[in-house]
Amino acid sequence: MQYDALKTFVTLVEVKNFTKTAEMLLMSQPSVSLHIKNLEKEFQTKLLERSPKYLKVTPTGQMLYDCAVQMIRLYEQTRQHIMEHHHAIKGELKIGASFTIGEYILPFLLLDLQKQHPELQIQATIGNTEEIVQAVRLYEVDIGLIEGQTNDKELDVIPFMEDELFIVSSVHHPLANREEVSISELHDQAWITREVGSGTREYLNHVIRSNGLRAESFLTISSNQGIKETLINGKGLSLLSKSVIERDVKSGNLSVIPVVNTRFTRRLSYLFAPIMKEKQNVLTFIDTLKKTFPYSEK
């Protein structure tokens, strides 16, 4: 593997300037050109279209760039794995978490982990379930935490916690402050919900389909906080995790609508690529996760 040449090529594609690439990689401009020339010779293709005014990636250059990005990530992660094998828990740990987990559950876990291992450099990325699964698959993060589901057979997916969700509204909604509400009373309601790709949206769709509910409308907002603010200041219902609404219900900003004989639950899971099983930082994080959230299949 021509690591230096691939690293140079990836950097050049991203900054689109030979001089800047040389400065960033602490090498001479002729060295940058030589790396590109050697790659073109090895792959027997032209990777870049060059002129004094522009730098354009060819179709085969784009193919090499896409593969090289993943190869470099895997190479650097492998190097770190070997270093971690001989040293204490330190270095980087990249965690991806879907919004509900990342905003309301993960912060407390990370504080505990940082306290136990102060040399560990933790980076947390938040996205919806679909985005986190993709980040794990492409090795952009070491481990992911999701509230939705995935059928990706290439990843290990393990539940770590049961999450309860509640239908909520503003305190002025017609269904608010009722002791019980029947499923039929949820017909023809306006729903405020997360975007497609979100685990919470996926679960709401399941609830609506399985109960044969008619929806008056859907307003999509890609933020739990945005949904809560919309509920508080307007009409509509939403289905949100207990961890998301707990403070707002206690403070009287939101009202839980109890549905008769119905409980909404789902499993939260962590997932990783098989190669991560040997990474000590990942195993340490999983151990902390299990201690914090003891979970057993029911």
Side-chain angles (χ1 to χ4, degrees):
M1 175 182 175
Q2 295 190 37
Y3 175 82
D4 290 337
L6 290 174
K7 183 76 172 178
T8 302
F9 174 66
V10 167
T11 304
L12 180 58
V13 170
E14 292 174 349
V15 303
K16 294 181 172 57
N17 184 282
F18 276 75
T19 302
K20 289 182 180 178
T21 298
E23 291 173 354
M24 289 175 65
L25 299 179
L26 303 178
M27 63 174 63
S28 65
Q29 190 169 326
S31 295
V32 173
S33 299
L34 182 60
H35 278 314
I36 303 305
K37 183 178 179 180
N38 288 340
L39 285 174
E40 290 181 330
K41 182 178 179 181
E42 180 174 347
F43 290 101
Q44 299 180 27
T45 187
K46 192 167 186 177
L47 300 173
L48 301 167
E49 295 285 353
R50 285 161 277 185
S51 80
K53 294 185 178 180
Y54 70 88
L55 179 68
K56 184 178 179 182
V57 185
T58 65
T60 52
Q62 187 63 48
M63 290 171 60
L64 178 61
Y65 171 81
D66 292 339
C67 293
V69 168
Q70 294 190 51
M71 291 168 67
I72 290 168
R73 285 195 191 118
L74 192 57
Y75 175 89
E76 292 175 347
Q77 287 166 355
T78 302
R79 182 172 60 182
Q80 185 174 331
H81 295 176
I82 294 171
M83 290 175 62
E84 290 169 354
H85 183 74
H86 299 290
H87 297 86
I89 304 302
K90 58 184 180 180
E92 288 186 344
L93 174 63
K94 296 180 180 179
I95 304 168
S98 52
F99 279 98
T100 297
I101 300 173
E103 293 176 339
Y104 296 94
I105 297 173
L106 185 61
F108 304 101
L109 186 67
L110 295 186
L111 288 173
D112 186 38
L113 189 65
Q114 192 79 80
K115 185 177 180 180
Q116 294 179 48
H117 306 287
E119 293 186 77
L120 192 59
Q121 300 172 27
I122 304 170
Q123 297 180 32
T125 299
I126 298 176
N128 64 36
T129 291
E130 195 173 279
E131 291 167 342
I132 297 305
V133 171
Q134 180 75 351
V136 172
R137 188 187 299 116
L138 296 177
Y139 305 107
E140 294 173 351
V141 296
D142 302 320
I143 187 168
L145 304 172
I146 59 172
E147 65 233 35
Q149 297 181 359
T150 176
N151 296 318
D152 197 315
K153 304 299 183 184
E154 297 180 4
L155 304 176
D156 290 346
V157 184
I158 303 164
F160 71 89
M161 177 182 172
E162 182 182 78
D163 183 36
E164 186 169 11
L165 300 93
F166 295 91
I167 295 178
V168 289
S169 70
S170 79
V171 295
H172 305 295
H173 193 280
L175 296 180
N177 304 313
R178 294 264 301 273
E179 289 187 11
E180 268 186 352
V181 170
S182 67
I183 283 288
S184 63
E185 290 178 278
L186 298 179
H187 280 302
D188 301 316
Q189 296 290 336
W191 291 91
I192 318 299
T193 182
R194 290 282 309 284
E195 76 285 359
V196 173
S198 155
T200 300
R201 173 64 175 266
E202 178 185 300
Y203 190 83
L204 174 61
N205 289 345
H206 162 73
V207 169
I208 289 176
R209 284 195 307 267
S210 60
N211 289 286
L213 293 177
R214 298 185 306 271
E216 176 189 283
S217 62
F218 288 98
L219 173 59
T220 301
I221 301 176
S222 59
S223 158
N224 289 317
Q225 188 60 40
I227 290 174
K228 292 191 294 182
E229 291 295 328
T230 303
L231 289 174
I232 292 168
N233 293 290
K235 65 174 186 175
L237 304 178
S238 191
L239 182 66
L240 295 172
S241 169
K242 178 181 178 180
S243 60
V244 174
I245 64 170
E246 203 162 15
R247 292 180 185 175
D248 297 276
V249 171
K250 285 181 179 178
S251 65
N253 291 323
L254 290 175
S255 178
V256 169
I257 298 176
V259 181
V260 62
N261 298 325
T262 305
R263 188 166 177 256
F264 305 108
T265 62
R266 63 183 176 183
R267 296 184 305 178
L268 306 184
S269 304
Y270 62 88
L271 69 160
F272 53 86
I275 195 173
M276 295 297 173
K277 288 179 181 178
E278 302 302 320
K279 186 168 183 177
Q280 191 58 45
N281 288 352
V282 171
L283 296 178
T284 298
F285 176 74
I286 292 172
D287 185 57
T288 302
L289 192 66
K290 289 180 176 179
K291 288 177 180 176
T292 307
F293 304 107
Y295 176 83
S296 60
E297 292 277 7
K298 296 180 180 179

